[in-house]
Amino acid sequence: MRLKFHCQNRIGILRDVVSPFADYGLNVARGEVGGDQGNAIYLFVPHLLNAQLATLKPTLEALPGVFSVRRVSLMPSERRHLELDALLSSLSDPVMSIDMDGRVVAANRAAGQMLGVRVDEVPGLSLDRYIQDLDLPGLVRRNNARINGLRLKLKDETYLADIAPLHTENDDVASLAGAVVTLHRADRVGERIYHVQRQELRGFEAIFQASPRLAAVVREARRMAPLDAPLLIEGETGTGKELLARACHLASPRGQAPFMALNCAGLPESMAETELFGYAPGAFEGARPEGKLGLLELTAGGTIFLDEVGEMSPRLQVKLLRFLQDGGFRRVGSDEETYLDVRVICATQQELPRLCAAGQFRQDLYHRLNVLSVHIPPLRECLDGIAELATHFIDRAARQIGCPMPTLSDAARARLSAYHWPGNVRQLENVLFQAVSLCEGHELLPSHLRLPDVGENSGLAGIDLEGSLGEILGEVEKRVLTTLYAEHPSSRLLARRLGVSHTTIANKLKRHGIGG
């Protein structure tokens, strides 16, 4: 029987509580002191009967400082043990507690399955039987700090180990009592990261397709997504190349496998190489002693997205070409060949054929990457869908900010349609988020749109020169009227600005669908 005494925290109270049981010839097998302020005593009395407790209870509650006595189902340590055991059993990764002799003290069910024994047979096992050439207690002593991602082999499987030292008192080496070791399958780490990120991933349904040109691009990408060949996505910055790459990945047979991205621009060659291919233990000065997995290994079975591939160094181009040819590569500082099944999707805002002609990009690599290709048009070429796209972004911004959704005024819509959008869709989303945050009423006005006058188009840039002279001049006229209407939002004001009759301007605005 287990008893809880709610009592005063005073010297000698435990002795006073235990004495009546000795007088009755009852053995107290175990005792614990608990409570927030040490104001509870728990006793385990195996042979105590209910009738004996009824006789003893008045005597116990009459002791100075004892307020109440009642039965409980578990001692505090037993409850903690059961809760911890349930928690560890729910973990799919093997978790073990070891002592400083390298013997397992406790383990969860996954660890028992990994070692090939029952959970109750795990305590006392020596890890030397399973892990060769690694003195785990010695490693814990030398580091005396948490170790993450230690690469080791156990029963012919490669794991990444997280090791947390256990101390009895202080954090010095003398007080080390052991360590808790958590093992992660190396070939599943990428999948874990991907599933954590997956809620942020979006498919083709999240790509706004109000413009017919963009809708045509999405149709092309949908047809290419299930194919396993490399895909090259071309487009200016901010057009959504990575979003399209993620959509292609999710729509492919690899959709449940990891998707990893690496931006090749702005990274030093050595850093880009280790990020992509990883490195072996002790590969260079300052390297982690256990080495590092590259993004390719973390993406095993999935898709790797290489953004701004035109910025890749010649050395990396050679290694990537070799991987595309036979699926093999070597980690930095390693002679061991690694072979993986990974689909490669690349993106660039540069003209790769021009770089090839200039000797800055390998011609053979370009042809390997350009098996499938899709070009995302800039926003200035998709202005026929900008009103719906703007409404979509305004709604999203209002939800994020937590304010009522404002409407887009005709003048603000005209301002958006007349702008050249050097940052494309990303810039539009950012501009509208800022506009919603600045808007205090129920309507977005041109004054809320902070559009920098940089990168303006000049000459005939952005003007469709297909068709007759009359059609081309009509397009120019539409652009002029759209731009000026934002500053003079009525036919009378605009007519006065251009020095023509009100009727002429009204007819032209109606013909071009401006301000309607």
Side-chain angles (χ1 to χ4, degrees):
M1 185 180 295
R2 295 163 178 81
L3 302 176
K4 177 183 178 181
F5 294 76
H6 180 213
C7 58
Q8 184 182 23
N9 185 1
R10 64 172 176 82
I11 297 174
I13 193 168
L14 179 60
R15 180 195 57 198
D16 295 342
V17 165
V18 172
S19 294
F21 294 97
D23 295 339
Y24 269 76
L26 295 169
N27 181 46
V28 178
R30 190 165 66 250
E32 296 176 25
V33 177
D36 295 336
Q37 298 175 338
N39 57 355
I41 295 175
Y42 296 82
L43 298 182
F44 176 39
V45 188
H47 303 297
L48 178 64
L49 304 176
N50 287 328
Q52 293 173 313
L53 176 61
T55 303
L56 270 173
K57 191 172 182 181
T59 303
L60 296 171
E61 290 181 338
L63 294 172
V66 175
F67 308 127
S68 65
V69 180
R70 63 183 180 88
R71 291 186 62 176
V72 291
S73 58
L74 293 171
M75 305 281 279
S77 60
E78 293 173 325
R79 180 175 297 278
R80 285 194 299 271
H81 177 77
L82 289 175
E83 290 171 346
L84 182 60
D85 184 64
L87 176 63
L88 290 176
S89 297
S90 69
L91 298 177
S92 58
D93 290 321
V95 180
M96 298 176 288
S97 176
I98 64 167
D99 61 22
M100 293 309 294
D101 293 322
R103 295 188 177 277
V104 181
V105 177
N108 67 347
R109 186 179 295 111
Q113 292 172 346
M114 176 193 65
L115 298 174
V117 297
R118 297 196 312 270
V119 176
D120 58 348
E121 295 176 328
V122 172
L125 288 178
S126 174
L127 285 183
D128 291 342
R129 293 173 49 187
Y130 302 94
I131 304 176
Q132 306 297 323
D133 304 323
L134 177 63
D135 179 11
L136 203 55
L139 182 66
V140 172
R141 288 190 184 93
R142 288 194 302 273
N143 287 271
N144 193 26
R146 186 177 180 88
I147 302 171
N148 292 319
L150 176 68
R151 192 181 183 91
L152 53 83
K153 280 200 170 185
L154 195 152
K155 299 190 75 173
D156 296 325
E157 292 285 349
T158 301
Y159 292 87
L160 298 180
D162 295 336
I163 305 171
L166 297 175
H167 296 87
T168 54
E169 296 178 3
N170 304 317
D171 290 341
D172 55 16
V173 176
S175 67
L176 277 170
V180 174
V181 181
T182 305
L183 300 176
H184 310 278
R185 280 272 298 272
D187 59 354
R188 299 288 299 278
V189 173
E191 182 180 344
R192 295 287 183 87
I193 298 173
Y194 171 72
H195 283 298
V196 171
Q197 297 174 338
R198 194 175 189 277
Q199 60 185 5
E200 301 297 329
L201 305 184
R202 297 172 284 183
F204 287 113
E205 293 73 17
I207 300 177
F208 216 77
Q209 304 169 42
S211 167
R213 285 200 62 184
L214 189 56
V217 170
V218 171
R219 284 196 299 272
E220 288 182 14
R222 281 185 184 273
R223 290 195 295 270
M224 297 176 184
L227 306 178
D228 217 24
L231 172 64
L232 179 63
I233 303 175
E234 300 172 304
E236 296 179 5
T237 181
T239 51
K241 297 187 290 295
E242 183 172 347
L243 184 63
L244 187 67
R246 291 180 185 273
C248 289
H249 166 73
L250 288 174
S252 75
R254 300 175 183 266
Q256 297 300 314
F259 177 97
M260 295 289 173
L262 176 67
N263 192 321
C264 303
L267 281 179
E269 178 183 324
S270 58
M271 183 178 295
E273 185 176 9
T274 55
E275 284 295 311
L276 185 58
F277 298 103
Y279 59 80
F284 50 85
E285 186 177 354
R288 290 163 55 176
E290 67 273 14
K292 177 183 178 181
L293 293 178
L295 288 179
L296 276 177
E297 288 185 83
L298 293 174
T299 317
T303 303
I304 185 78
F305 174 66
L306 302 177
D307 199 6
E308 299 304 338
V309 70
E311 301 284 342
M312 186 173 280
S313 70
R315 173 181 170 82
L316 278 183
Q317 290 180 36
V318 173
K319 293 192 72 167
L320 179 59
L321 176 63
R322 191 282 173 95
F323 176 73
L324 289 170
Q325 288 173 337
D326 59 17
F329 67 94
R330 293 181 182 179
R331 300 185 193 93
V332 175
S334 173
D335 295 328
E336 180 183 348
E337 291 288 338
T338 301
Y339 292 90
L340 296 171
D341 172 31
V342 176
R343 187 188 187 185
V344 177
I345 298 180
C346 294
T348 181
Q349 59 176 318
Q350 303 189 58
E351 297 179 20
L352 292 186
R354 179 180 58 80
L355 295 181
C356 291
Q360 298 174 348
F361 199 82
R362 294 182 63 98
Q363 189 87 26
D364 48 2
L365 177 58
Y366 170 66
H367 291 303
R368 282 281 182 180
L369 296 176
N370 197 34
V371 178
L372 303 171
S373 64
V374 62
H375 177 79
I376 305 178
L379 180 58
R380 62 180 174 275
E381 296 179 10
C382 304
L383 294 177
D384 47 354
I386 196 170
E388 293 183 54
L389 185 58
T391 302
H392 170 71
F393 285 145
I394 291 170
D395 179 42
R396 180 188 294 178
R399 292 174 185 273
Q400 291 175 341
I401 295 172
C403 66
M405 177 182 168
T407 58
L408 187 66
S409 68
D410 291 340
R413 185 180 295 110
R415 180 80 174 101
L416 294 177
S417 299
Y419 191 64
H420 55 289
W421 298 111
N424 292 293
V425 177
R426 184 187 299 128
Q427 183 187 10
L428 173 65
E429 183 175 12
N430 293 340
V431 165
L432 290 174
F433 184 89
Q434 185 181 53
V436 173
S437 68
L438 293 173
C439 181
E440 297 179 348
H442 300 291
E443 189 177 40
L444 281 183
L445 304 174
S447 59
H448 296 131
L449 303 173
R450 304 290 176 83
L451 299 174
D453 294 326
V454 295
E456 289 283 359
N457 291 324
S458 60
L460 298 176
I463 297 177
D464 187 359
L465 298 180
E466 297 291 330
S468 66
L469 178 61
E471 292 171 334
I472 296 173
L473 292 177
E475 176 65 22
V476 174
E477 181 182 75
K478 179 180 178 181
R479 287 177 176 246
V480 170
L481 294 176
T482 299
T483 301
L484 293 178
Y485 186 80
E487 302 171 9
H488 309 277
S490 76
S491 57
R492 293 187 183 278
L493 291 174
L494 189 53
R496 190 178 304 122
R497 163 66 178 80
L498 294 174
V500 295
S501 70
H502 163 253
T503 303
T504 298
I505 289 297
N507 289 335
K508 290 182 180 294
L509 292 176
K510 183 177 181 181
R511 183 188 316 137
H512 294 299
I514 300 172

